Amino acid sequence: MTVERSATLSTDEARAILPQDPSLYNTGLTAVQGMNARRLRERFADEKHWQHEMLGDGQFEGLDLPAGHFYKPAAVLVPLVQRDALSLLLTQRPLHLKHHPGQISFPGGRVESFDRDVIAAALRETEEEIGLPSGNIEVVGRLPPYHTVTNYAVTPVVALVHPPFALTLDANEVADAFEVPLDFILDPANHERRSRAWQGRMRHFYAMPYQERFIWGATAAMLRNLYHFLRAA
């Protein structure tokens, strides 16, 4: 018997769903190896066509939007730290938050009326949430907006982060910050697709378990799109 679920899942619920057979979504895909700052800049300067995989939560093609539907603009920073090899800086939300407690995410938030653009919003939110100053951040480009079930159109702003820096976390919004090797993210063998029934359809989401961390949902979907973008180089 198929049971309909609510639009959102907890991290524990998402973790409990078994991954699908990788042959359904990873056939022919290989790891992007040796991505560095120079190659990253060159890829974003290149207008070579690429195909994203996910436009929004739980869907691969089309958003089934009613006429006149409006998504609220938001932006996140995808911070790639320049160490011996690039690493991805992520945050974990506190358990006390009403929305997405404990989930792993990028620093970012809604675009406010005083923000010049999505880049300004991503930089502002990053400094507010984790204390990373814009002087350490080199924006290299952006990916197409990702549409969330919570009604946001989220633009991922991809940037290089130049050490040294010290983070100061806003305890109201961020419980922890940690780094993941970019090589891990750019290897599709570490991408898991999981599915559930919602509103009479099977909806899919990605997960990228890393050590004890469970990266999933919108964050994993945007990282999957980043993988496709970089593999097209």
Side-chain angles (χ1 to χ4, degrees), residues 32-233:
V32 177
Q33 298 179 334
M35 182 57 58
N36 56 34
R38 177 186 58 80
R39 290 179 60 194
L40 189 74
R41 295 186 189 100
E42 290 174 350
R43 177 64 186 101
F44 275 97
D46 185 3
E47 296 183 358
K48 184 176 181 180
H49 175 75
W50 69 286
Q51 182 61 51
H52 53 64
E53 185 173 340
M54 296 190 73
L55 294 170
D57 283 340
Q59 300 178 12
F60 293 112
E61 299 295 339
L63 293 174
D64 299 334
L65 301 179
H69 186 87
F70 176 74
Y71 277 94
K72 296 170 284 188
V76 295
L77 195 75
V78 183
L80 303 176
V81 184
Q82 284 197 269
R83 305 203 184 278
D84 292 339
L86 292 178
S87 63
L88 172 68
L89 177 62
L90 291 170
T91 66
Q92 186 158 8
R93 294 166 63 83
L95 293 174
H96 70 259
L97 292 180
K98 179 179 179 181
H99 299 294
H100 311 298
Q103 285 193 15
I104 291 169
S105 61
F106 303 109
R110 71 175 66 193
V111 177
E112 303 290 357
S113 59
F114 51 80
D115 288 316
R116 183 179 65 257
D117 53 22
V118 293
I119 293 176
L123 293 176
R124 174 184 55 78
E125 287 280 350
T126 297
E127 187 157 11
E128 290 175 359
E129 290 183 10
I130 62 174
L132 182 61
S134 59
N136 290 79
I137 299 172
E138 174 193 346
V139 173
V140 294
R142 65 181 83 175
L143 297 176
Y146 181 87
H147 299 80
T148 72
V149 73
T150 49
N151 207 43
Y152 284 96
V154 183
T155 299
V157 176
V158 182
L160 291 165
V161 179
H162 303 286
F165 58 86
L167 301 181
T168 303
L169 307 185
D170 179 352
N172 291 320
E173 297 192 59
V174 179
D176 194 13
F178 62 98
E179 295 181 26
V180 180
L182 183 61
D183 284 347
F184 176 89
I185 299 297
L186 298 184
D187 186 348
N190 299 319
H191 304 175
E192 299 176 354
R193 199 177 80 181
R194 307 181 184 212
S195 299
R196 67 188 181 101
W198 184 52
Q199 294 184 351
R201 296 174 60 183
M202 290 304 296
R203 300 298 175 93
H204 309 287
F205 65 91
Y206 272 100
M208 300 174 184
Y210 176 72
Q211 297 178 353
E212 76 280 7
R213 314 279 188 174
F214 191 70
I215 307 165
W216 71 286
T219 301
M222 287 184 267
L223 291 173
R224 177 77 170 184
N225 284 341
L226 177 65
Y227 161 74
H228 284 300
F229 176 78
L230 294 178
R231 80 182 180 91

